[in-house]
PDB file of all heavy atoms in Angstrom:
ATOM      1  N   TYR A   9     -77.688  70.156 -43.050  1.00 97.00           N
ATOM      2  CA  TYR A   9     -76.941  70.548 -44.243  1.00 97.00           C
ATOM      3  C   TYR A   9     -77.754  70.279 -45.510  1.00 97.00           C
ATOM      4  O   TYR A   9     -77.819  71.117 -46.402  1.00 97.00           O
ATOM      5  CB  TYR A   9     -75.608  69.788 -44.300  1.00 97.00           C
ATOM      6  CG  TYR A   9     -74.788  70.099 -45.529  1.00 97.00           C
ATOM      7  CD1 TYR A   9     -73.997  71.241 -45.584  1.00 97.00           C
ATOM      8  CD2 TYR A   9     -74.813  69.263 -46.641  1.00 97.00           C
ATOM      9  CE1 TYR A   9     -73.249  71.540 -46.715  1.00 97.00           C
ATOM     10  CE2 TYR A   9     -74.068  69.551 -47.771  1.00 97.00           C
ATOM     11  CZ  TYR A   9     -73.286  70.694 -47.804  1.00 97.00           C
ATOM     12  OH  TYR A   9     -72.557  70.999 -48.934  1.00 97.00           O
ATOM     13  N   THR A  10     -78.379  69.119 -45.563  1.00 97.00           N
ATOM     14  CA  THR A  10     -79.101  68.712 -46.764  1.00 97.00           C
ATOM     15  C   THR A  10     -80.502  69.335 -46.853  1.00 97.00           C
ATOM     16  O   THR A  10     -80.871  69.876 -47.893  1.00 97.00           O
ATOM     17  CB  THR A  10     -79.243  67.175 -46.796  1.00 97.00           C
ATOM     18  OG1 THR A  10     -77.934  66.602 -46.726  1.00 97.00           O
ATOM     19  CG2 THR A  10     -79.926  66.709 -48.071  1.00 97.00           C
ATOM     20  N   ASP A  11     -81.257  69.293 -45.761  1.00 97.00           N
ATOM     21  CA  ASP A  11     -82.663  69.694 -45.804  1.00 97.00           C
ATOM     22  C   ASP A  11     -82.918  71.171 -45.552  1.00 97.00           C
ATOM     23  O   ASP A  11     -83.836  71.741 -46.128  1.00 97.00           O
ATOM     24  CB  ASP A  11     -83.479  68.868 -44.806  1.00 97.00           C
ATOM     25  CG  ASP A  11     -83.482  67.384 -45.147  1.00 97.00           C
ATOM     26  OD1 ASP A  11     -83.114  67.020 -46.286  1.00 97.00           O
ATOM     27  OD2 ASP A  11     -83.839  66.581 -44.262  1.00 97.00           O
ATOM     28  N   VAL A  12     -82.134  71.792 -44.689  1.00 97.00           N
ATOM     29  CA  VAL A  12     -82.356  73.211 -44.367  1.00 97.00           C
ATOM     30  C   VAL A  12     -81.458  74.098 -45.224  1.00 97.00           C
ATOM     31  O   VAL A  12     -81.938  74.987 -45.925  1.00 97.00           O
ATOM     32  CB  VAL A  12     -82.118  73.495 -42.864  1.00 97.00           C
ATOM     33  CG1 VAL A  12     -82.281  74.976 -42.557  1.00 97.00           C
ATOM     34  CG2 VAL A  12     -83.067  72.656 -42.010  1.00 97.00           C
ATOM     35  N   TYR A  13     -80.154  73.846 -45.175  1.00 97.00           N
ATOM     36  CA  TYR A  13     -79.209  74.658 -45.951  1.00 97.00           C
ATOM     37  C   TYR A  13     -79.274  74.324 -47.441  1.00 97.00           C
ATOM     38  O   TYR A  13     -79.007  75.175 -48.281  1.00 97.00           O
ATOM     39  CB  TYR A  13     -77.788  74.457 -45.415  1.00 97.00           C
ATOM     40  CG  TYR A  13     -76.760  75.303 -46.117  1.00 97.00           C
ATOM     41  CD1 TYR A  13     -76.680  76.672 -45.882  1.00 97.00           C
ATOM     42  CD2 TYR A  13     -75.870  74.741 -47.029  1.00 97.00           C
ATOM     43  CE1 TYR A  13     -75.746  77.454 -46.528  1.00 97.00           C
ATOM     44  CE2 TYR A  13     -74.930  75.509 -47.676  1.00 97.00           C
ATOM     45  CZ  TYR A  13     -74.865  76.868 -47.420  1.00 97.00           C
ATOM     46  OH  TYR A  13     -73.935  77.649 -48.062  1.00 97.00           O
ATOM     47  N   LYS A  14     -79.633  73.095 -47.742  1.00 97.00           N
ATOM     48  CA  LYS A  14     -79.720  72.597 -49.122  1.00 97.00           C
ATOM     49  C   LYS A  14     -78.376  72.729 -49.846  1.00 97.00           C
ATOM     50  O   LYS A  14     -78.274  73.218 -50.958  1.00 97.00           O
ATOM     51  CB  LYS A  14     -80.831  73.307 -49.892  1.00 97.00           C
ATOM     52  CG  LYS A  14     -82.190  73.118 -49.229  1.00 97.00           C
ATOM     53  CD  LYS A  14     -83.323  73.550 -50.075  1.00 97.00           C
ATOM     54  CE  LYS A  14     -84.664  73.481 -49.398  1.00 97.00           C
ATOM     55  NZ  LYS A  14     -84.968  72.365 -48.560  1.00 97.00           N
ATOM     56  N   GLY A  15     -77.330  72.268 -49.137  1.00 95.00           N
ATOM     57  CA  GLY A  15     -75.976  72.349 -49.671  1.00 95.00           C
ATOM     58  C   GLY A  15     -75.717  71.370 -50.791  1.00 95.00           C
ATOM     59  O   GLY A  15     -76.462  70.416 -50.995  1.00 95.00           O
ATOM     60  N   THR A  16     -74.642  71.622 -51.510  1.00 94.00           N
ATOM     61  CA  THR A  16     -74.189  70.723 -52.557  1.00 94.00           C
ATOM     62  C   THR A  16     -73.946  69.348 -51.931  1.00 94.00           C
ATOM     63  O   THR A  16     -73.350  69.264 -50.860  1.00 94.00           O
ATOM     64  CB  THR A  16     -72.884  71.258 -53.178  1.00 94.00           C
ATOM     65  OG1 THR A  16     -73.117  72.576 -53.652  1.00 94.00           O
ATOM     66  CG2 THR A  16     -72.402  70.379 -54.306  1.00 94.00           C
ATOM     67  N   PRO A  17     -74.393  68.280 -52.569  1.00 95.00           N
ATOM     68  CA  PRO A  17     -74.221  66.947 -51.979  1.00 95.00           C
ATOM     69  C   PRO A  17     -72.760  66.646 -51.597  1.00 95.00           C
ATOM     70  O   PRO A  17     -71.837  66.948 -52.339  1.00 95.00           O
ATOM     71  CB  PRO A  17     -74.697  66.005 -53.087  1.00 95.00           C
ATOM     72  CG  PRO A  17     -75.663  66.820 -53.878  1.00 95.00           C
ATOM     73  CD  PRO A  17     -75.110  68.214 -53.854  1.00 95.00           C
ATOM     74  N   VAL A  18     -72.613  66.090 -50.406  1.00 93.00           N
ATOM     75  CA  VAL A  18     -71.306  65.706 -49.871  1.00 93.00           C
ATOM     76  C   VAL A  18     -71.384  64.223 -49.538  1.00 93.00           C
ATOM     77  O   VAL A  18     -72.374  63.761 -48.965  1.00 93.00           O
ATOM     78  CB  VAL A  18     -70.962  66.520 -48.599  1.00 93.00           C
ATOM     79  CG1 VAL A  18     -69.709  66.005 -47.938  1.00 93.00           C
ATOM     80  CG2 VAL A  18     -70.826  67.996 -48.922  1.00 93.00           C
ATOM     81  N   ASN A  19     -70.345  63.488 -49.873  1.00 91.00           N
ATOM     82  CA  ASN A  19     -70.268  62.065 -49.573  1.00 91.00           C
ATOM     83  C   ASN A  19     -70.490  61.847 -48.075  1.00 91.00           C
ATOM     84  O   ASN A  19     -69.880  62.514 -47.240  1.00 91.00           O
ATOM     85  CB  ASN A  19     -68.885  61.556 -50.006  1.00 91.00           C
ATOM     86  CG  ASN A  19     -68.715  60.085 -49.762  1.00 91.00           C
ATOM     87  OD1 ASN A  19     -68.928  59.580 -48.664  1.00 91.00           O
ATOM     88  ND2 ASN A  19     -68.292  59.390 -50.795  1.00 91.00           N
ATOM     89  N   ALA A  20     -71.360  60.903 -47.740  1.00 92.00           N
ATOM     90  CA  ALA A  20     -71.684  60.621 -46.342  1.00 92.00           C
ATOM     91  C   ALA A  20     -70.453  60.226 -45.536  1.00 92.00           C
ATOM     92  O   ALA A  20     -70.365  60.529 -44.344  1.00 92.00           O
ATOM     93  CB  ALA A  20     -72.749  59.538 -46.252  1.00 92.00           C
ATOM     94  N   ASP A  21     -69.496  59.558 -46.164  1.00 92.00           N
ATOM     95  CA  ASP A  21     -68.267  59.168 -45.464  1.00 92.00           C
ATOM     96  C   ASP A  21     -67.379  60.368 -45.169  1.00 92.00           C
ATOM     97  O   ASP A  21     -66.676  60.401 -44.157  1.00 92.00           O
ATOM     98  CB  ASP A  21     -67.478  58.143 -46.274  1.00 92.00           C
ATOM     99  CG  ASP A  21     -68.194  56.800 -46.381  1.00 92.00           C
ATOM    100  OD1 ASP A  21     -69.028  56.495 -45.501  1.00 92.00           O
ATOM    101  OD2 ASP A  21     -67.920  56.064 -47.341  1.00 92.00           O
TER     102      ASP A  21
END
Side-chain angles (χ1 to χ4, degrees):
Y9 178 82
T10 303
D11 297 345
V12 177
Y13 183 74
K14 301 192 185 319
T16 304
V18 172
N19 181 307
D21 293 336

